[in-house]
């Protein structure tokens, strides 16, 4: 009797799993832009853990259903997150409008010894100012090996906040989208290219998609302080393991 009950439970479980998978149908879509034909990049369904390539004419096909979250990423356009509706899934050809890469964001990101310029005046600009050593300052021993810290190091938390301020000026951009983009820019500036290409083994055109994948997890916003860099690194390494498991749908 117990054996029969066990078999019945297994059969019911299989039916539930199959029912969930069968509820997703192939979504025929196209990414578009008013100025440029997009013919490369990725589309990822983070709920189904599958991703596919954007092909000729911006066309793509991916398994999806209403309330699934799609991530769009590519070298030529800004990454975007879309939560599908019933109407989207009912379309014969679902169209996603994407913006080209915005170089204005890069003006907020600073590197090495350049200072961060506050977007809104006030006394903060004096806090951000850097000053040269004088005779009363502690002498810097240049003969010793570097401790790997950056002189006049970049304030990454300020960068994250400044990017959000810049993006917030667009009234049609939602707060969660702003946070996703700001996190992606923050993470790119906080780690070297080798971290993404060698440690995480990501291709150049996969980095944006991976960062958007990370930003979709609320935990990503917990590690934005400079002294939490190792926690952020550990978080991204673990998320990369999940990211690598995503099924790639070949066109």
């Amino acid at each position: 009797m117990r054996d029969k009950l066990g078999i019945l439970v297994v059969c019911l479980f299989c039916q539930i799993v199959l029912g969930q998978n069968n509820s997703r149908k192939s979504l025929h879509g196209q990414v578009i832009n008013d100025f440029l034909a997009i013919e490369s990049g990725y589309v990822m369904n983070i709920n189904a853990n599958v991703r596919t390539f954007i092909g000729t004419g911006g066309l793509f096909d991916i398994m999806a259903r209403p309330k699934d979250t799609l991530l769009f990423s590519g070298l030529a356009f800004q990454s975007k997150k879309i939560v599908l509706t019933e109407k989207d899934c009912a379309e014969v050809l679902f169209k996603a409008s994407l913006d080209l890469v915005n170089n204005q964001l890069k003006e907020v990101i600073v590197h090495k010894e350049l200072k961060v310029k506050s977007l809104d005046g006030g006394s903060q600009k004096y806090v951000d100012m850097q000053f040269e050593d004088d005779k009363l300052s502690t002498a810097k021993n240049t003969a010793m090996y570097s401790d790997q810290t950056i002189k006049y190091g970049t304030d990454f938390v300020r960068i994250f906040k400044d990017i959000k301020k810049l993006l917030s000026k667009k009234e049609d951009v939602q707060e969660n989208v702003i946070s996703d983009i700001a996190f992606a820019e923050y993470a790119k500036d906080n780690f070297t290219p080798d971290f993404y290409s060698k440690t995480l083994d990501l291709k150049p055109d996969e980095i944006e998609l991976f960062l958007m994948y990370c930003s979709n997890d609320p935990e990503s916003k917990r590690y934005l302080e400079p002294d939490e860099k190792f926690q952020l690194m550990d978080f991204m390494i673990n998320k990369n393991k999940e990211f690598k498991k995503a099924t790639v749908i070949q066109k």
Side-chain angles (χ1 to χ4, degrees):
M1 182 67 180
R2 290 183 179 179
D3 293 339
K4 292 181 178 179
L5 181 61
I7 294 173
L8 179 61
V9 171
V10 172
C11 291
L12 289 174
F13 177 76
C14 292
Q15 287 181 347
I16 293 173
V17 172
L18 291 173
Q20 291 178 339
N21 289 333
N22 290 336
S23 66
R24 286 192 171 90
K25 299 180 180 180
S26 181
L27 177 70
H28 305 292
Q30 181 183 32
V31 292
I32 57 175
N33 179 269
D34 294 336
F35 306 100
L36 179 71
I38 300 174
E39 298 187 340
S40 64
Y42 291 95
V43 182
M44 181 175 189
N45 184 334
I46 61 174
N47 299 90
N49 203 31
V50 297
R51 58 173 166 155
T52 187
F53 300 97
I54 297 172
T56 304
L59 298 173
F60 67 89
D61 290 291
I62 194 166
M63 298 302 293
R65 65 185 178 190
K67 297 184 179 180
D68 278 356
T69 300
L70 300 186
L71 301 181
F72 297 84
S73 177
L75 297 177
F77 57 88
Q78 291 184 36
S79 299
K80 189 171 185 177
K81 179 170 66 176
I82 296 178
V83 179
L84 295 173
T85 64
E86 295 277 358
K87 182 181 178 181
D88 294 333
C89 295
E91 295 281 354
V92 176
L93 182 64
F94 167 69
K95 293 187 177 182
S97 179
L98 304 179
D99 296 325
L100 300 182
V101 172
N102 189 352
N103 292 325
Q104 189 177 12
L105 284 178
K106 302 302 180 182
E107 297 175 3
V108 182
I109 306 299
V110 295
H111 303 269
K112 297 181 180 178
E113 298 186 3
L114 296 180
K115 62 184 180 181
V116 180
K117 183 178 180 181
S118 177
L119 296 182
D120 51 356
S123 61
Q124 185 62 51
K125 62 181 179 181
Y126 299 105
V127 177
D128 291 337
M129 291 178 65
Q130 310 296 345
F131 300 91
E132 295 297 328
D133 296 339
D134 57 27
K135 63 180 181 180
L136 297 179
S137 301
T138 302
K140 181 181 178 182
N141 187 351
T142 57
M144 296 297 291
Y145 287 109
S146 170
D147 61 358
Q148 303 305 313
T149 59
I150 302 175
K151 182 182 178 183
Y152 305 150
T154 304
D155 184 345
F156 293 109
V157 178
R158 284 287 312 287
I159 288 177
F160 181 84
K161 292 179 179 178
D162 284 350
I163 294 173
K164 289 188 67 175
K165 287 180 184 178
L166 180 65
L167 293 171
S168 295
K169 293 180 179 180
K170 297 182 179 181
E171 297 180 355
D172 59 334
V173 181
Q174 298 178 357
E175 172 64 23
N176 62 328
V177 176
I178 293 173
S179 294
D180 291 340
I181 297 175
F183 173 81
E185 294 296 332
Y186 166 86
K188 282 189 292 185
D189 204 68
N190 207 356
F191 295 96
T192 63
D194 283 349
F195 172 72
Y196 295 103
S197 62
K198 297 180 180 179
T199 304
L200 300 183
D201 191 29
L202 294 171
K203 299 176 183 177
D205 59 349
E206 289 181 318
I207 296 175
E208 287 281 353
L209 181 65
F210 169 70
L211 293 177
M212 288 293 288
Y213 179 77
C214 289
S215 69
N216 194 68
D217 188 335
E219 188 178 353
S220 64
K221 312 304 188 299
R222 293 176 52 189
Y223 310 116
L224 298 178
E225 297 293 338
D227 59 353
E228 294 177 336
K229 182 173 180 179
F230 287 106
Q231 289 94 320
L232 178 59
M233 182 184 298
D234 187 58
F235 167 77
M236 295 175 71
I237 290 174
N238 289 328
K239 292 300 289 186
N240 187 49
K241 294 176 182 177
E242 298 177 14
F243 181 76
K244 292 292 187 181
K245 291 180 181 178
T247 304
V248 179
I249 302 175
Q250 300 288 347
K251 293 205 65 167

